[in-house]
Amino acid sequence: MKNRHYIMFLLGILSFGALYAQQGDNSSEAEKLESWNGLKVAYPFSKTVTFAAEAQLRLKSYGNSYSQAFLELQTVYEPFKSLELGLGYRNIDSYDDVGKIQGHENFHRYSGYVQGKMAIKRWDFNARIQHQTKREINDSSSKKNNSYWRTKLGLKYNFRNWKLDPRFAVEFFMQDRFDPQDSYNKFRASFGTRVNLKDKRNLVIKYLYEESVNKTNPYQYHILSLLYGLSIKKAN
């Protein structure tokens, strides 16, 4: 009975994403559909330090179906259960299918974050602030070079006898400087769950909604994300 409930819950999330995917060609230029699919491998170096590598492919329903792919390396330091620090490097291959000059573009992205975590009864809360800088390879003056401050709030509820605990998050993006009034230009909300599998493997399923703000031509993204993760056991 429990397994049937889990399957129904997963099908509900996937069907929600499929509903948007079916709209495909009927969606407006401002409302766009994407699929993010990735693999993440984590290596617990010690009780407080974890190294991770993630590869992701992003597809879209508008223009050329290939959006981008990236490889990200990350180090996470957790000195306390309530505090997490992270550094990351991402190598991005992005396809530009707009304008006269189209084709693949490559970027370096560097990031760092601080995250606080707290648990109250069955609720888990987290708050993260991240800074990232993206630069196009071999073109230091590119107009696509940017930096962002990102603030993210998330929560999870732990149901009794239920493995697919729901997770919610909302994230705000501020370009170039930390100024919520003048630099805030988009937000991203997500809903999903994490399925824990055997042998320290897991599957994270999320629906994300992203919208630009304070822009002349605003846009909206509907995104279905699937991330398969595994943890490598440290040799004794």
Side-chain angles (χ1 to χ4, degrees), residues 54-230:
E54 178 181 347
Q56 189 175 120
L57 173 65
R58 296 183 176 182
L59 305 175
K60 53 190 176 69
S61 65
Y62 53 96
N64 190 293
S65 60
Y66 175 82
S67 177
Q68 67 171 250
F70 67 76
L71 174 66
E72 181 167 13
L73 305 176
Q74 190 177 62
T75 300
V76 177
Y77 175 54
E78 191 174 11
F80 314 104
K81 289 184 178 181
S82 59
L83 180 64
E84 182 177 301
L85 310 173
L87 294 173
Y89 164 74
R90 181 179 293 187
N91 185 279
I92 305 169
D93 174 71
S94 180
Y95 189 80
D96 182 1
D97 58 359
V98 178
K100 294 181 179 180
I101 301 177
Q102 301 185 10
H104 290 268
E105 299 171 331
N106 300 106
F107 298 87
H108 295 303
R109 199 193 81 172
Y110 306 91
S111 63
Y113 72 85
V114 178
Q115 178 171 256
K117 298 179 286 185
M118 178 177 62
I120 300 177
K121 294 184 178 180
R122 293 190 167 275
W123 291 96
D124 293 338
F125 301 89
N126 64 76
R128 187 187 74 182
I129 181 168
Q130 173 174 310
H131 183 264
Q132 66 185 46
T133 299
K134 187 174 76 171
R135 294 289 181 266
E136 187 169 356
I137 299 175
N138 300 324
D139 190 355
S140 59
S141 62
S142 172
K143 293 182 179 180
K144 296 182 180 180
N145 294 342
N146 61 53
S147 64
Y148 273 96
W149 285 95
R150 302 166 57 170
T151 57
K152 184 177 183 180
L153 302 174
L155 64 89
K156 181 183 78 168
Y157 185 77
N158 301 295
F159 283 103
R160 294 183 184 274
N161 302 318
W162 179 255
K163 295 181 180 180
L164 305 179
D165 296 325
R167 299 168 183 237
F168 308 88
V170 61
E171 188 169 17
F172 304 95
F173 293 71
M174 292 167 286
Q175 190 167 359
D176 295 330
R177 62 187 188 279
F178 193 88
D179 187 341
Q181 184 174 356
D182 296 328
S183 299
Y184 168 52
N185 67 1
K186 67 178 176 178
F187 75 90
R188 181 183 295 164
S190 65
F191 164 71
T193 189
R194 169 174 164 157
V195 185
N196 291 318
L197 308 171
K198 294 181 179 179
D199 301 323
K200 295 187 176 182
R201 295 174 295 124
N202 63 78
L203 179 65
V204 178
I205 304 171
K206 288 192 296 185
Y207 163 74
L208 302 96
Y209 173 78
E210 181 178 310
E211 182 176 330
S212 63
V213 295
N214 298 324
K215 289 189 175 183
T216 304
N217 298 310
Y219 63 81
Q220 297 88 37
Y221 285 104
H222 299 282
I223 304 160
L224 180 64
S225 172
L226 301 175
L227 179 64
Y228 180 81
L230 60 93

